[in-house]
Amino acid sequence: MSSTALLARTAAPRRAWLADLPVLAVAVVWGGSYLAAKGITTAHTVIAVLVLRFALVLPVLAVAGWQRLRALTARQLSGAGLLGLVLGGIFLLETYGVVHTSATNAGLIISLTMIFTPLAEAAVRREAPSGAFLAGAGACVAGVVLLTQGAGFTVPGAGDLLILGAALARTLHVLLMARIKAVQDADSLSLTTVQLGGAVLVFAVLAVVPGTGDSPWATAAAFGPAEWAGLAFLSVLCTLFAFFVQMWAVRRSSPSRVSLLLGTEPLWAAAAGIAVGGEHLGPAGFAGAALVLGGTAWGRRAVAG
């Protein structure tokens, strides 16, 4: 083998890791979002908090990318708008679900996205997912089960079903990003802006419907410094950074690979709970963390192969 070919083979895994690291960072901040969302949201303020969360970053994005926004075609705008509607549904299901169930149940159920995405992708392609990938994903799910048993798994209720719906909606969102041809060559920042705008529109319409909870203005007026800090974390890192990276990564990797990396989210949620929430992991929890990491590495290799 020539030195050029050897260098090329060595550089390929390195480039893959460089593409994976931002996605892994998204999993870390999303893991911390459960504590942040629970700290600032109640059943009466879900829609208000979502309006504030998205509206904080949308003007910055629109001003920064105005020229590129104007360059989007009608097909690109409609494709990104569709993604925005799905995104709005994800956040509604997820936020109401977190309010009405435990963080333990939410972390466990949302991790099923790891299974739903490769199965849906295989169905679209009419191909069976590899046994190695399914084994890696299964190890991740088993690890999440062990990881979340420290707080106990309660009987599934309405909140659990909402989180299950959010996991299915996440799968749909990832697949649509990879398969809508109109958005494949468009600027990621512009597409993210249009998506967030579509989601804000959904939340704003719901906010004026009677009986949907407190208004964004009343909710914002009741916030103190801690609540504003939590909202900034959700807006800048968990929304702006996370979805920009996800769109960038899906077009350079595959939906299954991105979904598997994002599947480490419950691990980081547990880490945030220990460091900030004062939670503790027993032997089963540490074994679960090891399974999540090992299963993710195994599945990544299977997808790369």
Side-chain angles (χ1 to χ4, degrees):
M1 181 183 295
S2 68
S3 59
T4 302
L6 182 60
L7 286 173
R9 290 187 61 181
T10 305
R14 186 178 304 167
R15 286 195 299 269
W17 268 112
L18 290 175
D20 288 348
L21 285 176
V23 182
L24 194 59
V26 170
V28 173
V29 298
W30 274 357
S33 69
Y34 290 103
L35 280 177
K38 276 189 168 293
I40 67 173
T41 310
T42 68
H44 298 289
T45 63
V46 168
I47 293 176
V49 168
L50 287 173
V51 170
L52 294 171
R53 172 178 177 174
F54 282 69
L56 279 180
V57 298
L58 190 58
V60 177
L61 283 174
V63 171
W66 179 245
Q67 294 298 325
R68 284 172 285 183
L69 274 173
R70 294 179 61 186
L72 290 178
T73 66
R75 290 186 62 200
Q76 289 169 336
L77 284 170
S78 62
L82 174 61
L83 291 173
L85 294 179
V86 177
L87 180 63
I90 292 171
F91 275 93
L92 285 169
L93 290 167
E94 214 168 61
T95 309
Y96 272 115
V98 167
V99 169
H100 289 95
T101 190
S102 66
T104 298
N105 284 26
L108 174 60
I109 296 169
I110 205 68
S111 70
L112 294 177
T113 305
M114 296 186 283
I115 298 295
F116 296 154
T117 301
L119 291 178
E121 189 179 14
V124 169
R125 294 180 176 179
R126 297 182 180 180
E127 298 175 355
S130 70
F133 182 87
L134 290 178
C140 287
V141 173
V144 170
V145 172
L146 290 174
L147 189 64
T148 56
Q149 286 310 292
F153 186 75
T154 60
V155 176
D160 302 310
L161 294 177
L162 289 171
I163 296 294
L164 179 62
L168 291 169
R170 278 194 184 192
T171 299
L172 176 62
H173 189 257
V174 173
L175 290 177
L176 285 176
M177 281 194 293
R179 299 193 68 84
I180 295 179
K181 294 181 179 180
V183 304
Q184 293 304 305
D185 298 323
D187 173 64
S188 293
L189 178 60
S190 299
L191 293 178
T192 301
T193 304
V194 176
Q195 275 198 86
L196 297 186
V200 168
L201 181 61
V202 171
F203 305 145
V205 169
L206 291 176
V208 300
V209 175
T212 54
D214 298 342
S215 71
W217 324 114
T219 301
F223 274 0
E227 287 79 12
W228 280 109
L231 184 64
F233 174 77
L234 291 172
S235 297
V236 177
L237 293 180
C238 299
T239 303
L240 176 60
F241 169 74
F243 285 97
F244 177 79
V245 167
Q246 192 177 12
M247 290 200 68
W248 171 85
V250 164
R251 291 189 288 174
R252 288 160 177 79
S253 181
S254 72
S256 295
R257 189 178 180 113
V258 171
S259 181
L260 194 66
L261 287 166
L262 294 179
T264 63
E265 177 185 332
L267 176 64
W268 307 114
I274 294 171
V276 181
E279 299 176 1
H280 301 281
L281 280 182
F286 283 109
L291 275 176
V292 170
L293 291 175
T296 300
W298 191 358
R300 284 182 68 256
R301 292 192 184 95
V303 171

